[in-house]
Amino acid sequence: MVTAPLRLGLLSTAKINQLVIAGVPEMVEIVAVASRDGARARAYAHEHRIARPHGSYEALLADPDVDAVYVSLPNGLHHEWTMRALAAGKHVLCEKPYSRQPAEVEEAWDAASAGGLVLAEAFMYRHHPQIRRTKELVEAGAIGRLRMIRSSFSVRLLDLGDIRMLSDLDGGALMDLGCYCVNASRLLGGEPERVLGEQVLARSGVDFDFLGTMRFPGDVVAQFEAFFSLPSRQRLEAVGEQGAVVLDAPWRPDWGFTVTLARGEEVEIVDVQ
Amino acid sequence: MVTAPLRLGLLSTAKINQLVIAGVPEMVEIVAVASRDGARARAYAHEHRIARPHGSYEALLADPDVDAVYVSLPNGLHHEWTMRALAAGKHVLCEKPYSRQPAEVEEAWDAASAGGLVLAEAFMYRHHPQIRRTKELVEAGAIGRLRMIRSSFSVRLLDLGDIRMLSDLDGGALMDLGCYCVNASRLLGGEPERVLGEQVLARSGVDFDFLGTMRFPGDVVAQFEAFFSLPSRQRLEAVGEQGAVVLDAPWRPDWGFTVTLARGEEVEIVDVQ
C-alpha cells in the first residue's frame, strides 16, 4: 500500500522550524509556510525550498492542500492559532508547552477529538528510545518501588530582550524549560496530587529561575529545577528502593546521551535501540 | 604552655558515642559516662575504659571533675538536658539537630552565652576541610555568582521500630538527615527568606521522606531531599553562573570523598588539605 505523504504547513517562521525541517521524515512533506509579512514568507519559502508561501496565517489555514500545521508561535499564541487550525480541519503539532491555562488545554483537545483530528504537543524528547527504555525499566521493577523523580533543565539566557523573557507571550523558565521536567515527571509518576513552586522573578515579570516540587500517588515525589541564570544543565533521575535510572541528556539526546542503571554496587550503561 | 585536657562526660550510652570515642583528640579526655541504668553505665565504662560511671544523668552533671558533656540523647531530649548541663556550669556538645523549636534554640544559646559556656551542635561535617574549601571557593568567586544549592542525604531505614521513627522523640527524615542539607544550605546561602516542604508520612506520624525548598537573599535558591525509603545517597552542589562545586560525600567524608570543581568544559578534582 502506498500512502501519500502528510502535507505540513509551517505556521510562523520561528527559528525552531529549522530543527523540524532538518529532521522531517519521508512520510511528511513541508508544502507551505506562513508569515504575517508576505516578503518574509516568500524569502523563507525560497531559502527552504517550500512550495507555497502565505502572507498571513489565515491564508495558510485556508490552503486546501495543507493537511496539518506546525504551530511554532510563542507560547501565548498557541491556543488561538491551534483552535483556528482545528476549525479549518487541520491536524496540529503545537510547540511546547501548549498553554498555561488548563481550560484552554481541555478546549483544544476536545475540539481535536470532535473533529477527528490529531493535536500533539511538540515534546520531541518523549519519542526518543531512551525515554521509552527508561519507562520500561521503571515499570518492570528494575529499580524496585519508585520513590523519587528528579530532573533539571537550565540554559543560560543572556539576552534579556529574548521572547522567552516576555510575560505577555507566556515566557519564563517554567514555561520554556521546566515544562520538560513536569512532563517527564508525569510520564513516570502519573497525575500529581499537589505541587509547590518557588520562582526568582526577572524584571520583565516572568520567572527567570524556577524550583518545583510535585507529589504523586503512591508516595512518589518529584523535584525539579529550571534556570535561565545557569549554564546548560540537564538530567533526569528515577530513583527507587533498589536503584536508579539516570539520563544525562533527557531533553536533547541528539547532542549525545547516556542512560545509566545503578543497583547497589552495580552500575550498567543501558543499551538503547 | 601546657593546657590540661578538657574533661568530657558522655550523657547517655547511645551508639553514636562510639564515633566520638574513636575520634577523641589528645586535648580531650573522656572521664565519665551516665546512663539511667547504673549497671549499664558501669558495663559501658568498663568496656570503654572510662573512669567514672554515673547511674543517672543528674549524677554526671553534679560531677565537679567534668568540664563538658556530650549530649547524645534522642532529639526530643536535647533541650532539657542541655539546659540542665549549662545550669550545672558544663560546656555542651549536643547531637544534631538541637531542636525543632526555634524558641528552645534561642533559650539555650542565650543561656550558654550568659554563663560563658560553649554550646555546639554536633554537625561534625562542618569541621572537615572539604567544606571549608568549598566555602572558600564559592566566596572567592570560583563558580561565579552563586545561584543554587542542591543537596541530598538518604539512608534506607528498614526497622520501623527505630528511634528515628518515633514522633514523640522528634524523629523523621528531616530531623535526622535533612538537617544536614538545611545546615549546609545556610552555610553557603545565609538565612532563608522562605521555605517550602513536602513530606511523605510514615505510619508513626514522622516524615519518612522529605523534600525541601529554600529561598535566600540575592536570588539564591536551594533544594534538598532526605529519604528513609531510599538506599544511601549523599551529595552537595553549589551552582553558580560560571560553574559548580560538587561534593560526593559531604556528610560522611570519612567514608571517602571527592570535591569537583567544574567550569565550562574544565573539570578539576580539588585538592583538599
Side-chain angles (χ1 to χ4, degrees):
Chain A
M1 191 183 84
V2 177
T3 312
L6 180 83
R7 297 169 302 174
L8 185 67
L10 307 177
L11 206 149
S12 104
T13 55
K15 223 195 287 177
I16 196 152
N17 285 358
Q18 292 170 18
L19 295 173
V20 170
I21 294 170
V24 74
E26 259 184 58
M27 68 280 249
V28 175
E29 193 182 341
I30 299 176
V31 298
V33 62
S35 171
R36 283 167 300 178
D37 171 342
R40 189 177 163 78
R42 284 190 298 277
Y44 195 89
H46 179 76
E47 186 190 347
H48 296 284
R49 298 178 197 179
I50 298 169
R52 292 194 302 285
H54 290 291
S56 73
Y57 303 147
E58 289 88 346
L60 184 136
L61 295 182
D63 186 335
D65 293 323
V66 167
D67 304 316
V69 297
Y70 170 50
V71 176
S72 51
L73 293 163
N75 296 335
L77 299 174
H78 287 172
H79 186 56
E80 175 187 350
W81 289 99
T82 294
M83 290 304 290
R84 289 201 191 199
L86 293 171
K90 314 296 188 195
H91 303 288
V92 177
L93 175 66
C94 182
E95 253 317 310
K96 40 57 52 180
Y98 182 76
S99 163
R100 64 193 315 148
Q101 306 296 341
E104 293 184 352
V105 176
E106 295 292 341
E107 189 186 9
W109 264 261
D110 285 351
S113 173
L117 296 164
V118 174
L119 167 58
E121 223 173 355
F123 275 115
M124 73 298 177
Y125 87 96
R126 274 213 181 192
H127 302 278
H128 191 275
Q130 70 169 351
I131 288 286
R132 198 159 49 230
R133 192 84 187 88
T134 298
K135 195 164 158 62
E136 279 167 12
L137 286 168
V138 171
E139 287 173 354
I143 58 168
R145 185 173 159 195
L146 178 67
R147 288 291 195 167
M148 177 179 61
I149 304 151
R150 262 220 37 86
S151 53
S152 58
F153 197 3
S154 296
V155 172
R156 188 93 194 265
L157 189 60
L158 295 170
D159 172 13
L160 300 185
D162 191 281
I163 199 166
R164 289 168 291 175
M165 291 299 289
L166 300 180
S167 132
D168 55 358
L169 291 176
D170 289 345
L174 173 61
M175 287 293 278
D176 193 55
L177 303 170
C179 64
Y180 284 91
C181 302
V182 171
N183 193 276
S185 300
R186 291 172 62 200
L187 182 71
L188 297 172
E191 285 311 296
E193 296 170 335
R194 189 160 52 216
V195 295
L196 299 173
E198 176 69 29
Q199 60 180 1
V200 172
L201 283 181
R203 235 175 274 172
S204 68
V206 305
D207 51 306
F208 197 60
D209 298 329
F210 193 93
L211 297 179
T213 303
M214 287 179 278
R215 170 68 171 266
F216 294 98
D219 292 341
V220 176
V221 286
Q223 258 188 344
F224 70 88
E225 64 195 51
F227 286 80
F228 279 144
S229 73
L230 291 178
S232 290
R233 285 167 66 87
Q234 51 177 289
R235 190 177 171 92
L236 172 64
E237 284 180 272
V239 189
E241 292 179 357
Q242 310 301 330
V245 187
V246 181
L247 279 65
D248 73 350
W251 326 122
R252 290 300 304 264
D254 55 321
W255 295 348
F257 66 91
T258 311
V259 178
T260 309
L261 174 61
R263 282 184 284 201
E265 300 294 304
E266 269 175 67
V267 177
E268 176 193 339
I269 305 296
V270 177
D271 189 33
V272 172
Q273 297 296 349
Chain B
M1 192 182 85
V2 178
T3 312
L6 181 84
R7 298 169 300 175
L8 185 67
L10 306 178
L11 207 148
S12 106
T13 55
K15 225 196 285 180
I16 195 151
N17 285 357
Q18 292 169 19
L19 296 174
V20 171
I21 294 170
V24 74
E26 258 183 60
M27 68 279 247
V28 175
E29 193 182 342
I30 298 176
V31 297
V33 62
S35 170
R36 283 167 301 179
D37 172 343
R40 188 175 164 78
R42 284 190 298 279
Y44 194 91
H46 179 76
E47 185 190 348
H48 297 283
R49 298 178 197 180
I50 298 169
R52 294 195 301 285
H54 291 290
S56 72
Y57 303 147
E58 289 87 345
L60 184 137
L61 296 183
D63 185 335
D65 292 324
V66 167
D67 303 315
V69 296
Y70 170 50
V71 176
S72 51
L73 293 163
N75 296 335
L77 300 173
H78 288 171
H79 187 56
E80 176 186 350
W81 288 99
T82 294
M83 290 304 290
R84 289 202 191 198
L86 293 171
K90 314 297 188 194
H91 303 289
V92 178
L93 175 65
C94 182
E95 253 317 310
K96 40 58 50 180
Y98 181 75
S99 163
R100 64 192 316 147
Q101 306 295 341
E104 292 183 353
V105 176
E106 296 292 340
E107 189 186 9
W109 264 262
D110 284 352
S113 173
L117 296 165
V118 174
L119 167 57
E121 225 174 352
F123 275 114
M124 75 298 178
Y125 87 97
R126 275 212 179 192
H127 302 278
H128 191 276
Q130 69 168 353
I131 288 285
R132 198 161 48 231
R133 192 83 187 88
T134 298
K135 195 164 160 60
E136 278 167 12
L137 285 168
V138 170
E139 287 172 355
I143 58 168
R145 184 174 159 196
L146 178 67
R147 288 291 195 166
M148 178 180 60
I149 304 151
R150 261 220 39 86
S151 54
S152 58
F153 197 3
S154 296
V155 172
R156 187 95 194 263
L157 189 60
L158 295 169
D159 172 13
L160 300 186
D162 190 283
I163 199 167
R164 288 168 292 174
M165 292 299 290
L166 301 180
S167 135
D168 55 358
L169 291 175
D170 288 345
L174 174 61
M175 289 293 278
D176 193 55
L177 304 171
C179 64
Y180 283 91
C181 301
V182 171
N183 194 276
S185 299
R186 291 173 62 200
L187 182 69
L188 297 172
E191 284 312 295
E193 296 170 334
R194 188 160 54 216
V195 295
L196 299 173
E198 177 69 30
Q199 60 181 2
V200 172
L201 283 180
R203 234 174 276 173
S204 68
V206 304
D207 52 304
F208 197 59
D209 298 329
F210 192 92
L211 297 179
T213 304
M214 286 179 280
R215 170 68 170 265
F216 294 97
D219 292 342
V220 176
V221 286
Q223 259 188 342
F224 70 88
E225 64 194 53
F227 287 80
F228 279 144
S229 73
L230 290 179
S232 290
R233 284 166 68 86
Q234 52 178 288
R235 190 176 171 92
L236 172 63
E237 282 180 274
V239 189
E241 292 180 357
Q242 310 301 331
V245 187
V246 181
L247 279 65
D248 73 351
W251 325 124
R252 290 301 303 264
D254 55 321
W255 294 348
F257 67 91
T258 310
V259 178
T260 309
L261 173 61
R263 281 185 285 200
E265 300 294 303
E266 270 176 67
V267 177
E268 177 193 339
I269 304 296
V270 177
D271 188 33
V272 172
Q273 297 297 349

